[in-house]
Amino acid sequence: MCPQPNESISIELQQLQLDADGRNERTQWLLNSPEPPSFCNELINSVSETVLPQKNNFFPSNSKQCKAGVFSFLQGLFPILSWGRNYKANMFKHDLLAGLTLASLCIPQSIGYANLANLEPQYGLFHELAIGPVAVVSLLLSAMVTNIVDPAVDPIAYTSFVFTVTFFAGTFQAAFGLLRLGFLVDFLSHAAIVGFMGGAAIIIGLQQLKSLIGISHFTNKTDVVSVLRAVFRSFHDEALSPMNFILGCSFLIFILVTRFIGKRNKKLFWLPAIAPLLSVIVATLMVYLTKADQHGVKIVKHFKGGLNPSSIHQLQFNGPHLGQVTKIGLICGLVALTEAIAVGRSFASMKGYHLDGNKEMVAMGFMNIVGSLTSCYTATGSFSRTAVNFSAGCETVVSNIVMAITVFISLELLTKLLYYTPLAILASVILSALPGLIDINEAYHIWKVDKMDFIVCIGAFSGVLFVSVEIGLLIAVGISFARIILDTIRASTEVQGRLPGTLDTFCDITQYPGATSTSGILIIRINSGSLCFANSTSIRERVMKLVTHTNGNEENTKENVHFVVLDMSNVMSVDTSGIVMLEELHRELVSQNIPLTIANPRLRVINKMKTAKCFDKLGKGWIFLTIGDAVDACLSLKIADPSSTNC
């Protein structure tokens, strides 16, 4: 027996009421979301996550929890407590070979980088870990600290400023890690790093002409024009010995040939690793035995051995240059972190483990702080050394301990021999490491994928090459910031439709032409992580334009817009301008007899809207957990009262 018409309407209304009750309950879940943690709690949790490998209560209830918390804290600071318990004797032979191989590369490379940074050679070897001086940071120090004091005029003051810069670099790095500010490193985008490294590699290579040719007087500037001008001037103003060039080029060819052999035959990975040290030893013996230093070959000369002396008394925390030193420390710290984390993530993915960037920052920060107190300058992760360590089959960081002992022995026993090391050899060691910094294939890949990223890449490259290192960085970061601002201001909106065959799946009708619009309901998604002063006006104009455009094309639509559903699932934060915009949009739509419905606002957005009493103006009955709930509510209102379209 079929139900009567009045009974059917009653059953339908009852079902609508049940659906409405369910939607209202879900809306209450949304509106009664918990308050976000306070700033102090976020800071404590941040420090806890950084220094503790596992979540532990800061306020343990018993002695057992207290001991576990202390041990967990120590594990966070000293990872050896975690992996050391599982270390086996058969791992040591791999670590021993890797450590000795690493030391053979590290010793000549570090001496060369110290020379690049305008420091005495022993300061490169005072770093006793695989993390150590690298070309880019050495160039940064040389380029920027030289603007404060000339190392040729006052080398003691120059060295003091370098140690102070290292202290500030370490302080910033540790602070970034503890406060979980690792995202700051990401402002140096991949494209910016590719361009910066390429430009820096060319500049570093050109500066090595000073040692490769044997020039006595050279420019302190780093741009390509100044460097080339200094090189050409030297041919007229100085009596140059061709022996420097012959010696340097001969061993450069030897190093490159061994690298080629090592790539062709993976079993000979150790050959390119020991080639720099072998070159230094042979060239030094040649100079020592033939007394070539008396015939125009320039040598290192100054080389102090022994353990790292204390440099606490050399740190400069007062005076007119403190602001400049702090700025240089921040720049060097960021660049060093960027290189170290990039290298670390690359090799972590190869070996299948996760790298915690914030812990890396804390470790590197404290390392540089301690280094600044013990005659070390800014250090970071080196791709070449890490690759050698990896290829040599290292199992743990014991390989670094082996390398540290080897470097210590060298500082104690080999400094008299290293006195006669020709500068041309150090230049050839640095030059041999530069091809890895210039990645033409990656630059071409960036051009194909994203033209704006390529502009960032070229901006960084050109700035470093033709102006200075810091200007190149500034250009790269500036263009990246400009892109972020443009993307924020030009936040897009998209019209959503229901995917056929689904009940609650809505997607962009442009991307999925098969998605169907719901009669009389315009669903708009805001494609921006932030609804703020920069984009609120443009978003409001886009929404109103879509409403006007739809209502103005009745021949192409079944029905005018009676409801607007604003999908805010992508919006992670909102400021006062964004809230005011929602209120203005609500008033404009209501004036046209169109209710504004908001779907899926996030936790931070909900709490700010509640604090601003925005829901009192928009109406709590028009806030829903999902787009499906919002659409069903609008359809229910039409069924219940077809003549009414507002609340």
Side-chain angles (χ1 to χ4, degrees):
M1 184 173 179
C2 297
Q4 297 297 317
N6 288 338
E7 291 179 2
S8 298
I9 294 173
S10 176
I11 293 172
E12 190 173 352
L13 288 175
Q14 288 177 6
Q15 185 61 45
L16 289 174
Q17 184 60 46
L18 289 173
D19 293 342
D21 291 341
R23 289 194 297 272
N24 290 335
E25 185 179 0
R26 289 192 290 273
T27 297
Q28 289 306 312
W29 299 344
L30 191 65
L31 294 175
N32 296 327
S33 301
E35 294 290 330
S38 66
F39 176 77
C40 291
N41 286 335
E42 283 188 340
L43 183 59
I44 291 173
N45 290 335
S46 171
V47 175
S48 173
E49 290 176 10
T50 302
V51 300
L52 299 180
Q54 298 174 344
K55 291 186 177 179
N56 288 283
N57 192 348
F58 264 99
F59 305 101
S61 58
N62 54 54
S63 60
K64 187 176 181 180
Q65 286 186 353
C66 182
K67 290 179 181 178
V70 170
F71 184 71
S72 182
F73 176 78
L74 292 175
Q75 277 185 312
L77 289 180
F78 307 104
I80 191 173
L81 295 176
S82 298
W83 60 263
R85 292 183 296 175
N86 300 318
Y87 192 77
K88 298 177 181 178
N90 61 349
M91 295 180 179
F92 181 69
K93 63 179 181 180
H94 298 287
D95 287 333
L96 178 63
L97 175 63
L100 294 173
T101 308
L102 194 58
S104 67
L105 173 66
C106 173
I107 292 172
Q109 220 178 48
S110 298
I111 296 172
Y113 290 151
N115 185 49
L116 177 62
N118 289 322
L119 292 168
E120 293 182 10
Q122 69 270 13
Y123 292 117
L125 289 183
F126 282 158
H127 291 279
E128 294 165 351
L129 299 177
I131 290 177
V134 294
V136 174
V137 176
S138 300
L139 176 65
L140 268 174
L141 287 169
S142 173
M144 300 180 77
V145 180
T146 302
N147 294 329
I148 301 176
V149 59
D150 189 341
V153 176
D154 193 348
I156 296 177
Y158 177 84
T159 304
S160 297
F161 280 123
V162 169
F163 292 153
T164 309
V165 166
T166 300
F167 178 86
F168 281 114
T171 302
F172 282 120
Q173 289 171 337
F176 291 158
L178 289 172
L179 299 176
R180 304 188 72 79
L181 298 177
F183 66 89
L184 292 175
V185 177
D186 294 332
F187 280 115
L188 283 173
S189 64
H190 173 68
I193 294 171
V194 171
F196 174 76
M197 291 292 190
I202 294 175
I203 291 297
I204 292 169
L206 290 174
Q207 288 204 331
Q208 296 316 299
L209 293 176
K210 172 188 176 181
S211 299
L212 198 63
I213 299 174
I215 302 172
S216 300
H217 304 287
F218 204 66
T219 179
N220 289 328
K221 296 180 180 179
T222 59
D223 63 283
V224 64
V225 176
S226 299
V227 172
L228 289 177
R229 185 183 293 124
V231 171
F232 288 125
R233 188 185 296 121
S234 66
F235 286 108
H236 297 88
D237 300 343
E238 296 186 38
L240 303 177
S241 171
M243 287 300 299
N244 291 285
F245 185 76
I246 295 171
L247 196 64
C249 288
S250 299
F251 283 99
L252 175 60
I253 293 171
F254 168 70
I255 294 172
L256 294 177
V257 168
T258 58
R259 182 173 299 169
F260 176 77
I261 294 172
K263 286 183 178 180
R264 294 292 297 271
N265 189 343
K266 298 299 181 182
K267 293 182 180 180
L268 297 177
F269 69 89
W270 52 269
L271 185 59
I274 68 167
L277 181 61
L278 188 62
S279 300
V280 169
I281 293 173
V282 173
T284 302
L285 286 173
M286 288 172 59
V287 172
Y288 176 73
L289 295 174
T290 62
K291 301 191 185 314
D293 57 308
Q294 299 177 10
H295 301 282
V297 174
K298 295 188 178 298
I299 59 175
V300 171
K301 292 185 180 179
H302 307 290
F303 205 116
K304 298 177 183 178
L307 287 174
N308 306 32
S310 173
S311 55
I312 298 175
H313 61 284
Q314 292 182 265
L315 299 182
Q316 303 287 330
F317 295 123
N318 49 31
H321 301 297
L322 183 60
Q324 289 176 272
V325 169
T326 306
K327 180 193 74 172
I328 297 170
L330 175 61
I331 293 173
C332 289
L334 284 173
V335 173
L337 282 178
T338 302
E339 182 167 355
I341 291 176
V343 172
R345 285 174 179 168
S346 299
F347 285 91
S349 63
M350 291 182 193
K351 300 202 76 171
Y353 63 87
H354 171 69
L355 188 74
D356 189 327
N358 290 299
K359 287 185 180 180
E360 292 295 310
M361 291 179 184
V362 172
M364 197 164 298
F366 282 110
M367 175 198 69
N368 277 320
I369 291 173
V370 174
S372 69
L373 307 178
T374 54
S375 300
C376 299
Y377 75 93
T378 312
T380 186
S382 166
F383 189 87
S384 59
R385 270 170 259 169
T386 306
V388 167
N389 203 26
F390 178 80
S391 300
C394 75
E395 296 284 347
T396 66
V397 294
V398 170
S399 65
N400 295 334
I401 298 174
V402 172
M403 188 202 70
I405 295 171
T406 307
V407 172
F408 169 71
I409 294 172
S410 300
L411 281 167
E412 288 292 334
L413 303 178
L414 301 179
T415 50
K416 290 184 179 179
L417 177 63
L418 293 173
Y419 176 93
Y420 292 96
T421 301
L423 294 176
I425 289 300
L426 300 181
S428 67
V429 170
I430 294 176
L431 286 169
S432 68
L434 296 183
L437 297 179
I438 303 175
D439 198 339
I440 297 175
N441 291 331
E442 186 60 27
Y444 178 65
H445 176 72
I446 292 170
W447 162 259
K448 289 195 302 182
V449 174
D450 192 325
K451 301 299 186 289
M452 190 66 183
D453 258 1
F454 184 73
I455 293 175
V456 174
C457 179
I458 290 298
F461 178 81
S462 303
V464 172
L465 200 60
F466 296 105
V467 187
S468 65
V469 176
E470 56 267 37
I471 293 298
L473 280 174
L474 189 62
I475 290 173
V477 174
I479 296 175
S480 298
F481 263 113
R483 181 174 185 177
I484 292 171
I485 293 170
L486 284 174
D487 288 344
T488 303
I489 293 173
R490 298 168 56 193
S492 65
T493 56
E494 61 185 41
V495 177
Q496 301 278 296
R498 194 191 301 268
L499 207 60
T502 65
L503 295 176
D504 202 19
T505 303
F506 294 83
C507 54
D508 182 10
I509 61 174
T510 303
Q511 183 177 1
Y512 301 95
T516 57
S517 300
T518 304
S519 177
I521 303 174
L522 181 62
I523 307 168
I524 302 172
R525 174 177 291 170
I526 299 174
N527 286 328
S528 175
S530 175
L531 184 58
C532 60
F533 68 93
N535 59 19
S536 58
T537 301
S538 66
I539 289 175
R540 180 179 60 82
E541 291 174 352
R542 286 171 182 266
V543 172
M544 293 307 302
K545 186 176 180 180
L546 285 169
V547 172
T548 305
H549 176 75
T550 305
N551 285 344
N553 289 273
E554 294 184 38
E555 67 276 6
N556 296 327
T557 57
K558 295 180 180 179
E559 190 178 357
N560 280 352
V561 174
H562 297 306
F563 300 91
V564 171
V565 176
L566 203 61
D567 177 15
M568 296 182 65
S569 56
N570 288 338
V571 180
M572 298 293 110
S573 65
V574 63
D575 66 1
T576 53
S577 298
I579 292 172
V580 169
M581 183 277 286
L582 290 174
E583 294 171 355
E584 290 178 353
L585 181 62
H586 167 72
R587 286 195 295 269
E588 284 190 62
L589 290 172
V590 167
S591 68
Q592 300 181 34
N593 205 29
I594 302 173
L596 174 64
T597 303
I598 293 178
N600 197 19
R602 297 295 184 172
L603 177 62
R604 292 185 181 275
V605 176
I606 280 284
N607 282 289
K608 286 195 177 181
M609 292 177 75
K610 284 196 292 188
T611 304
K613 301 186 185 305
C614 181
F615 294 137
D616 296 338
K617 300 173 184 177
L618 301 182
K620 293 183 179 180
W622 295 100
I623 311 297
F624 296 96
L625 183 62
T626 65
I627 299 176
D629 280 353
V631 170
D632 290 344
C634 296
L635 292 174
S636 298
L637 184 60
K638 289 181 66 177
I639 293 171
D641 186 4
S643 63
S644 174
T645 57
N646 62 30
C647 55

